[in-house]
Each structure stands twice: as C-alpha cells, then as structure tokens.
Amino acid sequence: MAQLRAFLALAEHLHFRDAAAALRMSQPALSGAVAALEDTLRTRLVERTTRRVLLTPAGERVARRAELVLAELDRLVEEVHAVRGPLVGPLRVGVIPTVAPYLLPVVLPRLAEEFPELELSVREEQTDHIVAELVAGRLDVVLLALPTPVQGLVELPLYDEDFVLVAPASQPLPGEDPLPTRALKDLDVILLNEGHCLRDQALDVCREVGARAAAATYATSLATLVQLVSGGLGVTLVPETALPVETRRAPGLNLYRFAEPAPHRRIGLAYRATSPRGDEFEVLARTLRTAVTEAGTGVRVHPDGPDETLSGQATPSRAAG
C-alpha cells in the first residue's frame, strides 16, 4: 500500500520532488517505491523526462484504480477504529497556523491524559490545503475557522473569539473605549499574506466599515505581524487566543477592544460527512471545549453538539471564514 500511495502522489504532482515533499519522504525513497511497484506489475508506469514525469497509459489506469483502492482502505481503517472505541489509534489532524500555536498547548496535554491510546499526528497548513487533504482522505479531521469553504463536511463549533486591535503605544488612539469598529476607517491596517483565512476575516471587517488595508506591508505569521505593529508600521487585528503569546514578544503595544457587536471568528472542527468516526469527533470536540473553558482563554465556548450540519448551511458569524 505504501507503493500505491507513493505512485498516486507522483501521479498527482507529476514531479518527484513535489510528490516526495507532499508525502514527507525523500526523493530516493519515493523513486524506489515507484520502481518497486513497476517491478511488481511488470510494466512501466511513468516516463521520466528532464523536467517532469509523464504517466504511461498503464500508469493512468493504475492511478485511477489506486485512488479507489486507497480510499476504500482508509474507510476500512476508520470503521475498525470506530469499533475499537473513541479516540484509539491513529488520528490525523489538520490545524490552521493562526490556531495551532495558541490552542494546541492547551488541548494536547488533556488529550494525552484522557486518551492514552490515541496516536495523534498534526499537520499545520493554511485552510485551503488542510481542507483539500481532508476531502482527499489524507486527514481525518481539521481544526479551522468556520464556515468551511466546501460542501460535504460536518462542522462542530468549538468557540467564538473576538478580534482585538493592536496598535503602537507611540501612537495612542483617541476616542471611545471600547472602540467602535468605525475607528478602523482612519487607520492603516496591516494583514497576513494571501492564503491565510485570518487575512480574509480582517479584510471583511475593514470592508464593513470602509477601512483601508495598508497596501505594501504583509506578514507570513501573526508573530511577524505584531512585531511590525510594534515597529510603528500600522495596526492589526489579533484573535483573543493569540494575544498572550504574541503581545508578550513585542514591546510598546496598546490593545483596544471593540464595542459590541465586536468582530469575531468561530473556530471549530470539520470532518467528511461520509466518515464513520462522527461519534469520535463529537468526543474530541467536547474534550477541546472543556480544555478551552478550563484554561480561561477568554473565548465564548459553544455548547456540546453541532449547531450546523453540512458546510454551506452554517449560521454566519461576523468575520467568519
């Protein structure tokens, strides 16, 4: 099965380096796995050129069948795990970068304590990537901002968290406290690079009040974003759970909370509607909500149980996405 997975990755990327990176394995190991599969089938599956890889007619047929075979195998594994009990064995979780550093230290110790037989693996990537991996069956469940961008996923809301305005202390903002959202109209708001859902959420908040985003300054992480604010390059919006970590690292900041209704985002779990592990993910969601509540993170935790069914039918929240 490892050979089939290696070949399928190569068929998807048509490049040994990219396929090896996607599987987190070395190029020689990937090449060896594909060669071994060719030996087993006694036929050439790929044509190697100087720049890329092409599939032979036999390779195209094997790729189509391999996708079906591996999908059925993954489903069989999920069904076996569901029979064994909740949160036992392998669990592949995707997490977005604006959640992972702040939530995982809170929840991982609790998961290890309550589910000692859980074999957890975590992949941190941007929303589009982890959702694509979830749909393809390479992840079991993802932790991200809701609603999710595709159909066919079940959503389990965990908590809502407000955005807080972070500004340089050298440029104090006049006016009301808490701050009305319209105050953003007079500020240069700096954002994360494209691909981060938090960037889209912040842009939604800015558009709602007619505010502008600084055109020339972007960052790849919240840590860099807050450091840029500390250096006087503008202001930014930071989710509640990230404040303790990121503001501790950067001197000379003022924090401004918004008047109600404050812009916020909703964080939750999503999994394939066809997955047989729905009951397990309900257990996982309850555990995460409890961990967040006991950690006193200042967020609004949702009650147990999904209040959305399938992605695309979610009740919208401000700055959701």
Side-chain angles (χ1 to χ4, degrees):
M1 289 304 170
Q3 294 171 4
L4 276 180
R5 292 191 189 279
F7 172 68
L8 194 57
L10 184 60
E12 179 182 349
H13 294 277
L14 296 177
H15 197 288
F16 275 94
R17 183 189 61 213
D18 294 344
L23 293 176
R24 289 173 166 76
M25 64 189 303
S26 67
Q27 290 187 52
L30 175 69
S31 181
V34 173
L37 182 61
E38 289 179 321
D39 288 344
T40 299
L41 299 177
R42 298 181 181 179
T43 187
R44 287 186 63 189
L45 301 177
V46 297
E47 177 185 344
R48 297 164 175 82
T49 70
T50 54
R51 292 188 176 181
R52 60 181 305 187
V53 172
L54 301 176
L55 297 184
T56 65
E60 291 179 353
R61 294 188 63 184
V62 170
R64 289 194 295 269
R65 293 296 297 274
E67 189 169 358
L68 296 174
V69 168
L70 292 175
E72 284 301 311
L73 177 62
D74 288 341
R75 184 170 178 82
L76 175 62
V77 171
E78 287 183 336
E79 290 175 352
V80 170
H81 290 159
V83 171
R84 291 172 60 189
L87 301 181
V88 172
L91 181 66
R92 302 165 298 177
V93 181
V95 191
I96 58 174
T98 58
V99 167
Y102 319 112
L103 188 61
L104 292 182
V106 173
V107 301
L108 290 182
R110 191 178 193 93
L111 289 175
E113 179 182 354
E114 293 194 12
F115 307 102
E117 296 184 64
L118 178 64
E119 300 168 17
L120 187 67
S121 60
V122 176
R123 185 178 304 177
E124 182 188 29
E125 298 280 359
Q126 294 178 4
T127 298
D128 288 348
H129 186 81
I130 62 171
V131 169
E133 293 289 282
L134 176 67
V135 171
R138 290 186 285 269
L139 290 174
D140 301 309
V141 64
V142 294
L143 180 58
L144 74 177
L146 302 179
T148 49
V150 300
Q151 299 289 324
L153 302 179
V154 178
E155 298 179 353
L156 300 174
L158 299 177
Y159 60 86
D160 292 348
E161 61 177 336
D162 289 345
F163 289 115
V164 177
L165 183 69
V166 179
S170 58
Q171 304 169 28
L173 304 183
E176 307 165 47
D177 182 20
L179 201 67
T181 312
R182 66 178 181 273
L184 290 170
K185 292 181 64 174
D186 301 320
L187 304 172
D188 285 322
V189 183
I190 58 177
L191 304 171
L192 291 172
N193 285 343
E194 291 185 8
H196 290 273
C197 64
L198 184 59
R199 169 190 171 87
D200 298 329
Q201 295 155 6
L203 279 172
D204 286 344
V205 175
C206 291
R207 292 190 190 105
E208 189 172 327
V209 297
R212 65 187 183 276
T217 303
Y218 300 109
T220 58
S221 69
L222 272 176
T224 302
L225 203 60
V226 174
Q227 291 292 339
L228 293 175
V229 172
S230 177
L233 297 187
V235 304
T236 196
L237 299 173
V238 175
E240 184 78 44
T241 53
L243 282 177
V245 173
E246 301 306 344
T247 58
R248 185 174 66 243
R249 297 172 176 171
L253 297 173
N254 282 342
L255 307 182
Y256 299 89
R257 299 189 181 275
F258 290 101
E260 295 295 338
H264 66 275
R265 67 175 182 173
R266 177 166 297 171
I267 301 299
L269 296 175
Y271 62 92
R272 296 181 301 280
T274 56
S275 173
R277 304 180 71 179
D279 289 345
E280 282 192 87
F281 300 141
E282 289 275 7
V283 172
L284 176 62
R286 286 197 297 271
T287 303
L288 298 186
R289 293 185 193 108
T290 300
V292 168
T293 299
E294 294 182 355
T297 52
V299 302
R300 298 180 295 282
V301 177
H302 274 251
D304 287 347
D307 61 11
E308 293 102 9
T309 308
L310 291 184
S311 203
Q313 302 174 0
T315 301
S317 63
R318 290 193 67 178

